[in-house]
Structures are given as structure tokens and as C-alpha cells.
């Protein structure tokens, strides 16, 4: 009996070992896709080692597609047109693709793997996205939960961006966090200051990146940044600009307003900023200074729940209230609206804007998600 | 317990530093399946479904979101949301992402409070997962049922 059992055990072990060897060999030869050619916009050609996702492959060539979920296939920010080479839509990307996406060969770059020659089309502005080595040189409290963090750029040491764009911050491993992750933040410094960028970072409960910045980072920390990205920037026009923000949604409007000041723009601008109480307000002095420096700029902070000792005599209520009160009395037929904040705030404000004549084609927003 | 490679990958998502800083399991050393099963047993005893809980939390979440970070009262519940930048994927690798919304609920008649996130609702509704003991966003099913004043649904023949 015992010899039979031993024979069976040895036989099974042998078969398992053989299968493991076969798997290693198969991986070595079958999963080795060799060199592949990636042609971008029928112009630029890259020779790359096959086998990685398109997102990773492009990243290793310093071409950065936006991505907010770390390649998990859940944010769909890395959608791009793959004209040739990607094969059929994968089950992991199908839920994130619309019928129009599929029809137009739009794929998730983080899911499709480069196993043969690829032809892709990406917006030209993505070539302006670079990886920066930077050093944090100052961290300042704006409120109890928002910090203004300055990153001096080391290599390359200058950045060009459109006021309103954002950049991705890469964390270092800390505590139980064993991997680097990236998160996107709007640039809050004037675009004329090319040697550094400021970011307004609000502490997110249990957030990996914001906990790192708020609790684990100090000045002189080296940080990898990738950017600039995004299409939230001022469009040409003569009509009034309505700006609406809440919390760290203030960030993109700082460089936008400084740019308008520097260019001597005469457009009328009214900026509604929503906060709960006075302790959530910041950059008040900066905004008051801009009211003096810009041709026709008005800053309208509104508190939804001013504390008794706030002694607040400004606008009160949800930001939709002063917004509605203001635009219902005016001709908004040429106005443009720019919004940055939580999707809930943006959705509520868009309803008001539509109601009083600002159509969707004249509304631009940068939602938090 | 043997696990497929997919299960192993999914379990990684629950660990600290992958989707959230603190992860979803807290100090709980039980396997994910055991955590879900134990909470399901409690709900079965109370004759309350995960859908009932998730639906009630959804009402509180929607009310809080509409108030844009201000506090607002619905029935006996005072709710306030904090909506921060970014999105979270489901650790079970379901498609889609969830806004980073945290809601604080105070029951005005008792002064008791709970905190939950938008992702909590999905995890409860789709997976019966209330998170591990010691997790920042663990919701104890029995306490939650009592807090939300849920009663068993009566079946009408």
C-alpha cells in the first residue's frame, strides 16, 4: 500500500514539475513578442519591446497619457484611438467604452497590450507632457485641511502650461503604502513662473496621496511630477466670465486670473467662491488685490453656514443662491462660465446657468472626478 | 484556503496603500469570505437585507451631496458630505469608479453618529461587504440597522 502511495506522490510531483518547466519555457518563447513598432499620428515611430500595456509602453518612451486609477482600467482617462494592432475589445475595457468609442477604435491604453505593430492617434498636446524631478520648498496651511505646496522644478527646470491645466504628483512609499501612486492637482501658480509650481492639496480622509503630503512630507522632499494636462482653460470671447469654485477648486483660477491681469484683459469677470464657514475661506487678500489690478473683476465669497463668531456680512447660502441672484438680472447671452469643484456643486450650478441663458457650449468645468 | 490568481490579485486591492491609504480590512485577520459570511449571518438573524441598508444610505448620501458640504436634516438624520478630488475603484475589481464622498450622519434624537463613504454603499449592495473590523470605514451591521431604524420588510401574499 505505502509503496503505491509513494509512487503516486512522486508521479504527481513529477508531472507538476514538468508542467511548471513547460510554463516557464512557454512564457519565455510564446510570450516574448520581441520588438514592435508603434506609429503615432502617422508621423512618429517608436521601436519598443512588446508585452507591456500601451500606457506603460508609451510612458517608458516619455509619452504620458492621463491616468487616474494607476492602470486598473477603472477611470478611462487613458482612452486613445488605436487604428491598428490592438485586436478585439477586451472584457476588462468593454464596460468603459461607449458604442461610439468602439466604432471609432477608441481603446483603454492601460488594458491593451503591445504584442505586434501598433498605429495610434493621440492629441498633439500630449507631447508637451513631461516627467519632472522636483523638490518641495515650502508647505503652507491655507485652511485647516488645505495646504499650498510649492515644488521647485529640478529636471527639467522649467515648465510651460496653459493657466487652468493640472499635473500628476507621484508619491513615495510610506508606512503601509508599498507602491508609488499618482494623483492629479490643478496648478495654482501663475504660468509666467516657470521654475516652480504651486498646488493646493486638500486632505482626503484615508487618501493615499493627500495623507502623504499632509502627514509624511516635509520641505526638501524630492517628488516626481508628470504634466501639464487638461483642457480647462479660458476660451476667447468678449462677454462676461462667470467663475465658480469651492474648496481647492480655487486652484486653476489663480493662474487664469493672473494671466488675464498680465495680458490686460478687459473682460468683466465675476467669481463666486463657496465655503461653509470663514475657516474654509482662503486667498481673500489675493482676490481683493486682483480686484484692484484687473480691469473689471469682482470676487463674491459666500458662506453656507457662517459660524456665530464669523461676524460675516457677505453673501450667505449655497453658492447657487448668489449665482442665481446675480445672473437673473443680467444679459448672459455672450457670457462664458468656468467651474471647478465637486461634481455636485458643478451640476447644481449648471442647472442655474442654463436656466438663465448660459448654454452648455459656453460652460467649461473641471470636476473633481 | 486555495485562491485563484484573480482572487489573489483582488485581495491585494484590500491591503493598505493600494486603493486607500488604510485599506479595507483594518486589523481583521479573517479571510474576506469569512468577514462577509459573518456579517451576512447577522443580517439574516435580523431579517434585514443589504439592499435595504444600501438604499437607506443612498438616500442619506444623495441628500448630503445636494447640500454641497452644508449640513441638512432629513427625518431624524442630520447629514453633511465632504466631496474631495478623485475617484476610487471597487476593490472587488467591478467596472466603474466611485466619487470620493464621505458623509457624516448624526441621529438628532440620540446624538449618535456614523461616517460612511460612497464606496461603502457599493460594497454593501454589490458584495455584502461592511469592511473588516478596525477599518476606518467599517460599519457594524447590527449597529447600522439600529441606527438607520430599519425594520424587516413584510412580505404581502
Amino acid at each position: 500500500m505505502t509503496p503505491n502511495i509513494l509512487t503516486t506522490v512522486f508521479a504527481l510531483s513529477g508531472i507538476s514539475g514538468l508542467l511548471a518547466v513547460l510554463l516557464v519555457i512557454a512564457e519565455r518563447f510564446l510570450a516574448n513578442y520581441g520588438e514592435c513598432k508603434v506609429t503615432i499620428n502617422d508621423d512618429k515611430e517608436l521601436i519598443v519591446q512588446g508585452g507591456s500595456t500601451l500606457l506603460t509602453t508609451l510612458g517608458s518612451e516619455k509619452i504620458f497619457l492621463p491616468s487616474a486609477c494607476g492602470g486598473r482600467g477603472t477611470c478611462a482617462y487613458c482612452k486613445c484611438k488605436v487604428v491598428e494592432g490592438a485586436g478585439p475589445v477586451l472584457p476588462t475595457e468593454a464596460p468603459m467604452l461607449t458604442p461610439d468609442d468602439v466604432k471609432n477604435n477608441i481603446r483603454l491604453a492601460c488594458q491593451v497590450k503591445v504584442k505586434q505593430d501598433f498605429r495610434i492617434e493621440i492629441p498633439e498636446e500630449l507631447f508637451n507632457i513631461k516627467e519632472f524631478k522636483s523638490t518641495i520648498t515650502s508647505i503652507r496651511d491655507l485652511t485647516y485641511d488645505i495646504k499650498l505646496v510649492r515644488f521647485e522644478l529640478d529636471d527639467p527646470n522649467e515648465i510651460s502650461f496653459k493657466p487652468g491645466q493640472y499635473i500628476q504628483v507621484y508619491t513615495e512609499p510610506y508606512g503601509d503604502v508599498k507602491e508609488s501612486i499618482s494623483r492629479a492637482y490643478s496648478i495654482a501658480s501663475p504660468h509666467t513662473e516657470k521654475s516652480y509650481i504651486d498646488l493646493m492639496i486638500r486632505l482626503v480622509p484615508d487618501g493615499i496621496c493627500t495623507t502623504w503630503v499632509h502627514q509624511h512630507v516635509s520641505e526638501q522632499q524630492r517628488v516626481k511630477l508628470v504634466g501639464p494636462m487638461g483642457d480647462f482653460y479660458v476660451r476667447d470671447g468678449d462677454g462676461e466670465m462667470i467663475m465658480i469654485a469651492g474648496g481647492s477648486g480655487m486652484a486653476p483660477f489663480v493662474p487664469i486670473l493672473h494671466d488675464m491681469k498680465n495680458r490686460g484683459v478687459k473682460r468683466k469677470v465675476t467669481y463666486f467662491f463657496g465655503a461653509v464657514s470663514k475657516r474654509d475661506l482662503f486667498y481673500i487678500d489675493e482676490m481683493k488685490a486682483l480686484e484692484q489690478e484687473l480691469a473689471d473683476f469682482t470676487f463674491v465669497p459666500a458662506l453656507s453656514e457662517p459660524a456665530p463668531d464669523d461676524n460675516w456680512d457677505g453673501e450667505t447660502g449655497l453658492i447657487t443662491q448668489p449665482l442665481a441672484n446675480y445672473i437673473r438680472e443680467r444679459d448672459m447671452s455672450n457670457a462664458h462660465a468656468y467651474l471647478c469643484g465637486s461634481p455636485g456643486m458643478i451640476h447644481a450650478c449648471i442647472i442655474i446657468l442654463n436656466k438663465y441663458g448660459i448654454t452648455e457650449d459656453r460652460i467649461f468645468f473641471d470636476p473633481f472626478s | 484556503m486555495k485562491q485563484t490568481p484573480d482572487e489573489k490579485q483582488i485581495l491585494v486591492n484590500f491591503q493598505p496603500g493600494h486603493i486607500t491609504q488604510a485599506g479595507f480590512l483594518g486589523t481583521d485577520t479573517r479571510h474576506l469570505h469569512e468577514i462577509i459570511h459573518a456579517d451576512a449571518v447577522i443580517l439574516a438573524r435580523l431579517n434585514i437585507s443589504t439592499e435595504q441598508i444600501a438604499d437607506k444610505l443612498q438616500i442619506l448620501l444623495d441628500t448630503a451631496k445636494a447640500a454641497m458640504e452644508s449640513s441638512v436634516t432629513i427625518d431624524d438624520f442630520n447629514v453633511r458630505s465632504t466631496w474631495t478630488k478623485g475617484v476610487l475603484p471597487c476593490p472587488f475589481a467591478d467596472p466603474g469608479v466611485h466619487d470620493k464622498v464621505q458623509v457624516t450622519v448624526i441621529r438628532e434624537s440620540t446624538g449618535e453618529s456614523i461616517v460612511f463613504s460612497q464606496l461603502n454603499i457599493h460594497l454593501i449592495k454589490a458584495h455584502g461587504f461592511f469592511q473588516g473590523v478596525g477599518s476606518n470605514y467599517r460599519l457594524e451591521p447590527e449597529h447600522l440597522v439600529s441606527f438607520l431604524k430599519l425594520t424587516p420588510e413584510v412580505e404581502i401574499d
Side-chain angles (χ1 to χ4, degrees), chain B residues 42 54 108 151:
Chain B
I42 293 169
E108 293 189 329
T151 53

Side-chain angles (χ1 to χ4, degrees), chain A residues 20-32:
Chain A
V21 170
L22 282 173
L23 276 173
V24 171
I25 293 170
E27 190 175 356
R28 176 84 185 273
F29 292 99
L30 298 180
N32 182 356

Side-chain angles (χ1 to χ4, degrees), chain A residues 59-94:
Chain A
S60 65
E61 296 292 324
K62 305 297 181 194
I63 296 171
F64 300 100
L65 301 185
S67 170
C69 68
R72 289 188 176 92
T74 53
C75 74
Y77 285 14
C78 64
K79 280 182 180 178
C80 77
K81 185 166 187 172
V82 181
V83 183
E84 198 176 285
V89 170
L90 301 167
T92 49
E93 54 180 339

